[in-house]
Amino acid sequence: MLLTALVVGGAVPYVAGPGRSYLSYLVLAERADADGAARAAAEARAAGGQVVQEYPQIGVVLAYAGGGFAEKVRGRPGVAAVGASRTSPVPGPPRPLDGAGDFRAGTDPAAGDRAGGDRARSGPAADGTGVRGGGAADGGGAVDGGDDATATVPDPGEQDAWNLALLGAAPAGAADATPNLLRGTAAPAADALRKVLVAVLDSGVDDTHPDLRAAVDPRSSASCADGRPDARTGAWRPDAGVGESGHGTHVAGIVGAARDGRGVSGVAPGVRIAAVRLLGPLGQYYAENIVCGMLWAADHGARAINNSYFADPWKYNCPEDPDQAVLTAAVGRAVEYARGKGAVVVASAGNDGQDLGAPRTDERSPNDRTTGPPQSRHVGPECVRLPGELPGVVTVTAVDRDGRPSAYTNYGRGHVSLAAPGGDPDGGARGAVVSDWPGGRYAALAGTSMAAAHVTGAVAVAAALHPDWGSDRLAAQLASDAAAACPPGPHVCGDHEFYGAGALVLPH
């Protein structure tokens, strides 16, 4: 009934079929290339599916169809696997959009500028308070509170930036802990940072915010909210009608807000940001949205790709489930493609306070259901968060103002890469991370979303200092610097279970 009301009200851009319902499916070709995608698309159509988007870079196709589609396509020539990316049906495929579906859009510099869930609110660190795999409410699917419940704070005037001080950029406890990241012989010059592009895959970014007007690059920004790249003007901006839509603006501010004495300063002020909206109209980060965003960012030259969320509808994707296995494989192909194009893929570890290397409980999946309570299931370490636990991803845990692991952060030896400032959701503006919020405002949030954004900013600084380095070398340098600054032992930043290689320090 809720979905019907949304469709009638125009909130959901689906084409209603004659009494039918559809699921979205990802079809993986045996060949991870354009020929493979074309073959998968042909087989999907032959089985009655409506192909909405091809991902020729990795041999994957997004199709909508009724029940039984997966069984019809599995085993067809050239098809490696097929799985549903959602559990709740919709009336039909997304509506056609003029100009959508072209991954090359905006890559021509001569075209000129177009006009134009992981965070936690202050309060209890309970899963679902609007954070998508990041805020101390590691969101996804059903959310306890929306943007209207997010308290804003006054313009901080770039004061008391404890989170930046923890990176070694300014003396901790200084009256003004905001560092000048562009000062000193070892720091990158402003024009060097301007040559670096990082992508924020999230709920959208408000590029009208004073801190972000100069940072967001419209030629490199788009929406992938339904699995198709939509580069129309403003498509990358948050949708105020969808809960937690301010999250991406907060993350973007941590990465690259301008340093001008007002608002906040990002880790890499001066960097260019590709704003890539993933959050869909039903409040989900489906696998096709992630695949689309990852490919868009990679094809537009991003050196770092920030992912402060987890994939819906399953918090953990288990290999024995045929649908979940396909989602893992599809996002995995996109991550490998991005890394091959030179991007460091950064992701939040999540805010459930769970050991990712041990059996655990998932009490939220599937989170795209429209009725009924969530399932409670026990999963093993083979079941992974997407994209944070994929090979090659830099997975980030959160620490508080004192540098200790935040109570909500996920952890796990061999499952996390680095620790970075995430803050305390009960600490107010002094204990959480203050950053930008839509409408020219500011908010104090906490979570591994915030921690991941610090690492993404640090990658940008490293890429500006070493423009010829590839993704593996950039990630390895961050890990090496962190390890060198951390003493070994339990409950300190050399504790690999909570800190990975160590606590993030700003590259020199």
Side-chain angles (χ1 to χ4, degrees):
M1 292 176 63
L2 172 63
L3 182 59
T4 301
L6 288 171
V7 172
V8 171
V12 183
Y14 297 110
V15 177
R20 299 183 61 188
S21 61
Y22 294 75
L23 291 176
S24 52
Y25 294 87
L26 289 173
V27 184
L28 277 63
E30 292 176 351
R31 295 182 52 172
D33 56 19
D35 289 342
R39 183 59 180 269
E43 296 295 348
R45 292 188 181 99
Q50 298 186 41
V51 174
V52 169
Q53 182 67 47
E54 294 184 23
Y55 308 109
Q57 303 94 324
I58 59 172
V60 176
V61 164
L62 169 64
Y64 277 70
F69 174 78
E71 290 74 13
K72 295 176 184 177
V73 179
R74 288 181 183 135
R76 286 180 177 259
V79 174
V82 57
S85 64
R86 65 178 71 211
T87 66
S88 291
V90 293
R95 300 181 186 278
L97 294 174
D98 292 338
D102 183 3
F103 283 98
R104 297 168 298 174
T107 57
D108 180 7
D113 288 345
R114 295 186 300 272
D118 268 88
R119 66 88 178 163
R121 303 186 310 268
S122 296
D127 184 35
T129 53
V131 192
R132 316 289 307 187
D138 171 38
V143 185
D144 291 338
D147 286 359
D148 290 341
T150 301
T152 56
V153 300
D155 184 335
E158 295 186 353
Q159 299 295 309
D160 191 30
W162 67 267
N163 52 310
L164 298 182
L166 273 186
L167 306 186
D176 179 1
T178 303
N180 186 341
L181 299 182
L182 304 181
R183 180 182 298 162
T185 56
D191 60 345
L193 269 172
R194 192 63 190 165
K195 294 177 182 177
V196 177
L197 179 73
V198 300
V200 174
L201 275 56
D202 213 289
S203 62
V205 177
D206 179 8
D207 57 344
T208 70
H209 195 290
D211 277 348
L212 297 170
R213 286 174 186 158
V216 175
D217 179 3
R219 283 194 299 264
S220 303
S221 300
S223 171
C224 281
D226 60 13
R228 301 173 295 177
D230 179 3
R232 295 177 300 171
T233 300
W236 56 84
R237 294 173 186 147
D239 180 353
V242 180
E244 303 307 319
S245 61
H247 182 264
T249 302
H250 194 275
V251 167
I254 296 171
V255 173
R259 189 173 198 275
D260 54 10
R262 297 170 296 179
V264 298
S265 174
V267 175
V271 72
R272 287 163 42 240
I273 294 176
V276 184
R277 179 187 164 200
L278 301 189
L279 186 62
L282 294 179
Q284 303 292 321
Y285 291 82
Y286 286 118
E288 59 263 28
N289 305 16
I290 302 170
V291 168
C292 170
M294 201 76 66
L295 300 181
W296 175 274
D299 283 348
H300 284 74
R303 301 306 313 277
I305 302 176
N306 191 86
N307 303 269
S308 290
Y309 59 86
F310 67 86
D312 296 311
W314 306 97
K315 174 165 283 192
Y316 299 105
N317 291 266
C318 300
E320 65 270 17
D321 183 283
D323 293 321
Q324 295 168 37
V326 166
L327 305 186
T328 301
V331 177
R333 286 190 185 187
V335 166
E336 281 305 300
Y337 178 83
R339 294 181 63 231
K341 297 280 281 188
V344 178
V345 180
V346 181
S348 54
N351 309 305
D352 299 292
Q354 294 181 330
D355 182 351
L356 298 176
R360 52 201 180 277
T361 302
D362 174 9
E363 297 181 343
R364 301 196 57 194
S365 302
N367 58 19
D368 65 343
R369 66 196 178 281
T370 56
T371 61
Q375 299 176 8
S376 179
R377 57 179 187 149
H378 297 284
V379 300
E382 74 280 0
C383 300
V384 298
R385 286 173 52 96
L386 298 177
E389 289 189 85
L390 290 172
V393 174
V394 177
T395 306
V396 188
T397 65
V399 297
D400 61 19
R401 185 173 182 133
D402 296 323
R404 297 187 295 251
S406 300
Y408 54 78
T409 189
N410 286 349
Y411 58 94
R413 182 180 293 269
H415 290 258
V416 298
S417 308
L418 291 168
D424 177 2
D426 296 319
R430 282 187 54 80
V433 178
V434 176
S435 185
D436 302 322
W437 199 248
R441 297 174 294 169
Y442 305 90
L445 310 178
T448 56
S449 281
M450 288 67 249
H454 287 84
V455 173
T456 295
V459 173
V461 173
L465 293 170
H466 308 286
D468 57 331
W469 286 10
S471 58
D472 287 345
R473 190 171 182 185
L474 289 172
Q477 187 62 52
L478 291 187
S480 176
D481 290 347
C486 287
H491 311 301
V492 295
C493 64
D495 185 341
H496 299 304
E497 187 174 28
F498 284 95
Y499 292 84
L504 177 70
V505 295
L506 198 69
H508 300 302

